[in-house]
Each structure stands twice: as C-alpha cells, then as structure tokens.
Amino acid sequence: MTRFLTDLVHGKKQNDNVTGAVNVPVYTSTTYAYPSAQANVEYDYSRSGNPTRRFLEEQIALLEGGVAGFAFSSGVAAIHAVLATFKAGDHIIIGKQIYGGTFRLINEFFAKWNLEVTPVDTRNIAEIKKAIKVNTKAIYFEPFTNPLLQVSSVKQIARVAKENNLLTIVDNTFLTPYLQKPLALGADIVIHSATKYISGHSDVVAGLVVVNSKELAQKVYFNQNAIGSVLSPENANLVRRGLQTLGVRMDRHLANAAKVVDFLQTSVAIKKIYYPGIAGTKDHEIAVNECNGFGGLVTFEVAENVDPEVFVNNLKLIQLAVSLGAVESLIELPCKMTHAELSQEEQQKVGITPQLIRLSVGIEDISDLLADIKQALQKATVKSVKSTKAIA
Ligand SMILES: *Cc1c(COP(=O)(O)O)cnc(C)c1O
C-alpha cells in the first residue's frame, strides 16, 4: 500500500485508455455504447457515472480512508445531497457556527421538508447531549469554525454520536485530509467544498463527499444521481489536478500562516488573534491531538486605532475577496462580506466585530506578504497624540 503523499499524486491507477496517458482522460461523452442489448455496462449515461469523475471519487475515498466518494457541482450541492438522505420529521444537531450557505440550506430549504434542527456550540459536549431527542439522526459540524477558528473534537463528538446511534457528519473544508481524517476519528461522512484547498487555485467550484459504509454510499449515490448536481468531467479533472499538489501547497500555507501569526503577535496594531496554533487554549489542545497542522487561515482583530477598512483597502498584494484556500492570499471583513447576512446584534453575539479580519494565507513569498500587511497597517493606524509607540 502506498502512502498519503503518493496517493495524492497517483490516485487509484486506471488503465482504461489505449494511449498510455499518465493522467485520466477527460471523458466528455454523455453516453456510452452497449456492446449488446444484454450487456451489463459500468457506464451508460454521464450523470449516473463518468470515468473522469469516478477517478476523483475513488481518489478522495482513498485519501479519506472511506468506502466511497462522490463529486458534486459545488460544496453546497454535496451538503444538499447528504442532508437529503434524511426524511421529514428527522432531527439533526448542527454546529452553531457552520458555513452560512449550509445554514441557509437547512433553515430556508430543508425547513420546508420538516427537517428539525437544533444549533449548538459543538465544543460543548454536554450541550450536544442535551440536544439529543428521540428523532435525532445526526450531528453535523465543522471542526474549525468560520471565521473564529473555534475547534471541536471529532473524536469526542463521534463517541457521543455512536453511543446514541447518530451519524457524525463533518464538513472538513478548512482542514482537508492532509491535516485531518475525520473517518479515522470516528465520523461517518466527510464533506468538502473542494472549491477551497482541495482544488486550491480559485478556478473551480466543486464539492466532495466520502462515506464510511456501503449503506450510506447507496443513499448518497441515489441522491447524486436523482438530484443530478454532479461535477462536470472538466471540473473533476481540475480538482484531480489540484489534489496532486495538496501536500506541498498545505505545507507552504502552514509555514506562511505560522509566520504571519508570529508577526501579528508582535504588532501593537493587533488586538486579538484567532489561530488554533497558538498554545494555551483548549482549541489548541484538541487541534494538536486530532490534526496534523493548524490550517492556513488566520483571523484577527485590529486595534481600536486601526481602521479595518482602510487596512484592507490599502493592501497591494493580498486581495480583498471572499473564499479561501487558494495559492493566492485573500483577505476579507466578515462583518461586511461573508457574514453580512447576520444583523449587527447577531454578529456581536458570535464574536464578529467590525475590527475582525479573516486572512487566507497563500503560498507567496512570506517577506512580500509581511511587507504588504505592515505597510497597510501603517496607513490604517490613526496615531493618537498620546501614543508614542511605533506601529508594526
Ligand atoms: C465554501 C464552503 C462551503 C460551500 O461550498 P461551495 O463550493 O461554495 O458550494 C461549505 N462549507 C464550507 C466550510 C465552506 O468554506
């Protein structure tokens, strides 16, 4: 058996072409000829199965240590296909800080299905236990939350879920299988927005699901085919190509993020840093136990005398944009961008202040990134008459 970094590059060898191509071809054909009317064919129609997509699906299943993988046209489509395995009257427990699009899907779309939900702080195991009801079927959460990077224990949550006969569903977009393998920690289903780190280049929208049993595989496959939100062969190829460099990209993301944190810790222009790599918190402890690294996102609050909007507007290299996990650094103001749907009061309640900034640290030269941050902080700092300290 080959190891993870090798599997990233090679996937599961497929020798179905006559050319010797080293990469799986992009099969654009929508339909496949039957050798005879009696034939039992593997592929008949591209929504139901496509060799390029299948290669990626088998590869992500291999990387996550699961039974089967599925590729969708977006992360949200993947989440939809998983949640659509539940039926009216079922109850699921969800993390309070899950991705906004997931929250909308559950609260505005699945509400019409009569899918009952209870949002909890999944860091609090007692709160999870208290939320379990007779009709509870699953716990759905993100181990690292957005944007505050609060860490929940997959191990502890999966244990509670097993004791109560519930499924553990993990959206692991922020970590990828390079940094954490939730199935090995006890989860049943892993979901990714492959739009982020897995594809890694801000050029494809995609979603992936991996399950740990044949029974779940059948249910998710049924929904994938029935709902039809499949990943195109062209995009499956882009995600496959992204996966090949996931290891080297993540190594640089991690190294750069650590250096950005080091710098922010020394800067008087920064009030607070949210990064699970910083020792001394319970988040850090769990991350050390369950992850192979702390990720490429760094969230921080600028000091009161720093204007967050002037700061982001003055960055020259780091681009002001939503999304994350790509080779290029992206920065955003959660209160104005990713979390703008929340009222000011709701934002405050979950810790999203106007000073809060989320940085997706890219793989550029760290000196250029730090220089960019420093010059923009300087421009954004209102020097009070009393303050004599040099900024940054
Ligand atoms: C982006 C994201 C999604 C949604 O994925 P899309 O590919 O945009 O549909 C889901 N979960 C998390 C954690 C995300 O960051």
Side-chain angles (χ1 to χ4, degrees):
M1 229 174 63
T2 44
R3 294 181 174 80
F4 188 84
L5 292 176
T6 306
D7 294 339
L8 278 178
V9 177
H10 292 279
K12 207 174 139 198
K13 269 276 170 266
Q14 214 175 267
N15 296 308
D16 70 339
N17 74 86
V18 294
T19 65
V22 299
N23 289 312
V24 63
V26 179
Y27 287 88
T28 58
S29 188
T30 55
T31 189
Y32 297 82
Y34 284 56
S36 73
Q38 297 81 27
N40 194 359
V41 292
E42 189 181 358
Y43 297 105
D44 62 351
Y45 186 60
S46 203
R47 167 165 38 75
S48 313
N50 172 283
T52 312
R53 194 176 84 224
R54 181 70 51 83
F55 178 87
L56 172 65
E57 293 176 331
E58 287 182 355
Q59 184 175 20
I60 193 65
L62 177 73
L63 296 170
E64 290 284 4
V67 167
F70 303 92
F72 295 88
S73 54
S74 70
V76 165
I79 296 163
H80 175 230
V82 168
L83 294 178
T85 62
F86 298 108
K87 57 181 196 310
D90 283 349
H91 172 248
I92 60 169
I93 296 167
I94 59 168
K96 245 182 194 158
Q97 308 275 325
I98 54 172
Y99 177 71
T102 310
F103 209 74
R104 178 173 53 218
L105 182 65
I106 289 170
N107 281 302
E108 292 177 39
F109 181 84
F110 280 106
K112 287 185 279 188
W113 284 40
N114 242 342
L115 185 67
E116 248 191 89
V117 290
T118 306
V120 305
D121 182 345
T122 49
R123 289 174 301 173
N124 185 339
I125 300 296
E127 206 181 310
I128 295 176
K129 284 183 177 165
K130 229 171 78 189
I132 298 172
K133 306 199 281 187
V134 284
N135 57 337
T136 307
K137 293 287 154 46
I139 303 173
Y140 179 108
F141 68 103
E142 295 164 18
F144 278 33
T145 63
N146 181 17
L148 295 180
L149 306 171
Q150 296 167 342
V151 183
S152 291
S153 165
V154 178
K155 234 188 221 171
Q156 287 173 35
I157 293 171
R159 194 180 306 136
V160 173
K162 279 214 169 69
E163 283 164 7
N164 291 277
N165 220 4
L166 316 178
L167 291 176
T168 303
I169 307 171
V170 172
D171 175 341
N172 220 18
T173 299
F174 280 20
L175 291 175
T176 82
Y178 186 63
L179 298 184
Q180 184 179 64
K181 295 191 188 66
L183 301 186
L185 296 170
D188 300 285
I189 302 178
V190 186
I191 303 174
H192 294 287
S193 167
T195 311
K196 316 293 166 56
Y197 287 105
I198 285 186
S199 62
H201 294 74
S202 301
D203 58 2
V204 56
V205 173
L208 296 169
V209 174
V210 179
V211 298
N212 74 345
S213 75
K214 281 215 168 92
E215 191 198 342
L216 285 171
Q218 273 165 3
K219 286 185 183 177
V220 174
Y221 176 71
F222 176 85
N223 286 350
Q224 183 191 39
N225 188 43
I227 298 166
S229 49
V230 293
L231 189 62
S232 72
E234 291 86 352
N235 282 346
N237 185 55
L238 281 179
V239 177
R240 175 203 65 74
R241 189 170 68 173
L243 266 176
Q244 289 185 304
T245 58
L246 180 69
V248 286
R249 283 188 288 110
M250 289 312 286
D251 284 345
R252 178 66 67 77
H253 284 302
L254 295 176
N256 279 358
K259 287 189 181 127
V260 166
V261 169
D262 284 348
F263 163 72
L264 295 177
Q265 281 180 316
T266 64
S267 170
V268 292
I270 305 302
K271 193 162 80 182
K272 189 161 184 186
I273 306 165
Y274 299 89
Y275 188 66
I278 298 172
T281 64
K282 196 151 176 249
D283 288 356
H284 176 73
E285 233 173 83
I286 297 169
V288 166
N289 282 329
E290 301 188 7
C291 311
N292 297 318
F294 309 107
L297 290 166
V298 178
T299 302
F300 54 93
E301 268 177 28
V302 291
E304 294 305 330
N305 64 334
V306 178
D307 187 320
E309 290 179 34
V310 175
F311 169 62
V312 296
N313 288 344
N314 276 287
L315 287 163
K316 296 190 165 79
L317 182 65
I318 302 170
Q319 296 173 90
L320 182 62
V322 298
S323 200
L324 55 104
V327 287
E328 68 275 1
S329 294
L330 299 175
I331 204 159
E332 66 114 2
L333 287 173
C335 73
K336 287 243 151 75
M337 297 166 74
T338 51
H339 292 68
E341 269 182 50
L342 300 181
S343 69
Q344 232 170 12
E345 216 175 43
E346 287 169 318
Q347 287 187 354
Q348 217 123 59
K349 237 200 273 174
V350 296
I352 296 168
T353 67
Q355 304 295 107
L356 193 76
I357 292 168
R358 185 190 76 189
L359 172 62
S360 173
V361 182
I363 67 168
E364 300 95 337
D365 189 303
I366 186 63
S367 308
D368 290 330
L369 291 179
L370 294 180
D372 197 27
I373 295 170
K374 280 180 206 173
Q375 63 82 23
L377 277 176
Q378 243 151 25
K379 290 195 179 108
T381 301
V382 181
K383 291 192 182 71
S384 82
V385 214
K386 282 181 211 147
S387 170
T388 50
K389 264 184 176 169
I391 301 304

